[in-house]
Amino acid sequence: YSNPQDPISHFNLANLYRVMGENEMAIEEYSHVIALKQQGANVGNLYLDSLVNIGICYKNKGAID
């Protein structure tokens, strides 16, 4: 992606990683969206969606029930 501050790119990449079973990479990308929000960026609904999807990734890894 061309803009590292673009939350949509990180979110879409994270979704791709999650679907491919690359949960660690997905968590990293979702975390980037969350960090952007915490830095004051307008990420819209991607913040809450990223939180939910990180939970799914941890569940897929067996880290939570």
Side-chain angles (χ1 to χ4, degrees):
Y1 42 86
S2 59
N3 181 354
Q5 300 303 317
D6 178 24
I8 294 171
S9 295
H10 287 287
F11 186 79
N12 288 338
L13 187 56
N15 286 338
L16 177 64
Y17 284 137
R18 184 173 49 86
V19 169
M20 292 174 50
E22 298 290 335
N23 292 297
E24 287 298 325
M25 296 297 293
I27 289 168
E28 186 176 315
E29 294 297 330
Y30 289 130
S31 295
H32 195 80
V33 175
I34 292 165
L36 287 172
K37 166 70 172 173
Q38 292 169 341
Q39 295 166 9
N42 180 9
V43 299
N45 292 337
L46 297 180
Y47 176 72
L48 293 177
D49 291 343
S50 292
L51 291 173
V52 169
N53 289 346
I54 278 181
I56 292 169
C57 289
Y58 280 112
K59 183 170 179 13
N60 289 343
K61 287 178 32 163
I64 59 174
D65 293 328

